[in-house]
C-alpha cells in the first residue's frame, strides 16, 4: 500500500512540473518562468529582446565589442530573436561594430546593440546607446540604438 501511495505522489509531481517552468531554447533566459520572459509577436514571429546587464551592476551593461566579418556585400542579418527564421530587423555591413551583450545558450547567436554610424557632418553629437556603463539589474534593452540577434559566425570579438 505504501509503495502504491509513493508511486501516485511521484506521478502527481511529474504532471505539475510543466506548469512550473518551461524552457525557452536558444535564449539567455532559458529556465526562467514563461511569464517573466518579455515576448511579443511581430508579423507572427517571435521577438526576444536582447538582455543587458548580465555581468552585474559593477560592469558595463554589454561586456564586449564585436565587428562584422566575412558577411559579404549583403551584410549580416540582425534578427528579432535567436532563430534563423526570426524576422530581420537590421543588417550589419562588413566591418560595422556592435556591443555584444549576451549569447544564446547554444552559443550560435549573439545579442547585440548596433553602434550607430558617426554623423556625416560631425555637427550632431554621436548617439549614446546606454550600454557602455553599468545598469542596476539584468533587463531587456530598450535604448535608442537598434538591437537584435546575429549569428556568432558573423561577429569577431575585438574588445571585452
Amino acid at each position: 500500500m505504501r509503495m502504491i501511495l509513493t508511486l501516485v505522489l511521484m506521478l502527481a509531481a511529474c504532471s505539475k512540473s510543466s506548469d512550473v517552468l518551461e524552457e525557452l531554447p536558444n535564449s539567455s533566459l532559458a529556465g526562467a518562468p514563461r511569464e517573466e520572459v518579455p515576448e511579443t509577436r511581430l508579423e507572427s514571429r517571435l521577438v526576444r529582446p536582447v538582455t543587458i546587464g548580465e555581468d552585474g551592476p559593477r560592469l558595463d551593461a554589454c561586456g564586449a565589442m564585436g565587428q562584422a566579418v566575412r558577411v559579404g556585400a549583403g551584410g549580416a542579418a540582425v534578427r528579432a530573436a535567436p532563430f534563423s527564421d526570426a524576422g530581420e530587423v537590421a543588417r550589419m555591413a562588413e566591418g560595422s561594430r556592435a556591443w555584444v551583450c549576451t549569447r544564446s545558450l547554444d552559443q550560435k547567436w549573439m545579442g547585440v546593440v548596433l553602434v550607430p554610424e558617426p554623423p556625416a557632418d560631425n555637427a550632431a553629437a554621436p548617439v549614446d546607446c546606454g550600454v557602455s556603463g553599468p545598469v542596476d539589474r539584468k533587463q531587456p534593452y530598450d535604448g535608442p540604438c537598434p538591437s537584435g540577434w546575429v549569428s556568432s559566425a558573423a561577429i569577431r570579438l575585438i574588445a571585452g
Side-chain angles (χ1 to χ4, degrees), residues 67-73 75-76 94-95 152-156:
Q67 186 172 29
V69 294
R70 298 182 306 276
V71 297
E94 181 77 28
S152 295
I155 300 290
R156 182 183 75 212

Side-chain angles (χ1 to χ4, degrees), residues 43-112:
E43 299 173 10
S44 76
R45 296 193 179 182
L46 185 65
V47 174
R48 178 89 30 82
V50 171
T51 304
I52 63 172
E54 290 188 340
D55 295 330
R58 293 185 181 193
L59 298 173
D60 292 345
C62 295
M65 177 68 70
Q67 186 172 29
V69 294
R70 298 182 306 276
V71 297
V78 180
R79 302 209 173 268
F83 309 102
S84 58
D85 61 348
E88 187 175 311
V89 296
R91 292 203 74 79
M92 287 185 71
E94 181 77 28
S96 61
R97 294 180 177 196
W99 292 100
V100 178
C101 308
T102 188
R103 291 176 187 247
S104 62
L105 288 176
D106 63 6
Q107 303 292 309
K108 292 181 180 179
W109 298 92
M110 291 185 176
V112 300

Side-chain angles (χ1 to χ4, degrees), residues 12-77:
C14 289
S15 68
K16 292 186 179 199
S17 65
S18 63
D19 296 336
V20 178
L21 292 178
E22 179 179 344
E23 280 201 8
L24 301 172
N26 298 323
S27 168
S28 61
L29 298 173
R34 182 74 146 168
E35 57 275 0
E36 290 181 15
V37 178
E39 292 179 352
T40 56
R41 296 264 174 196
L42 176 65
E43 299 173 10
S44 76
R45 296 193 179 182
L46 185 65
V47 174
R48 178 89 30 82
V50 171
T51 304
I52 63 172
E54 290 188 340
D55 295 330
R58 293 185 181 193
L59 298 173
D60 292 345
C62 295
M65 177 68 70
Q67 186 172 29
V69 294
R70 298 182 306 276
V71 297

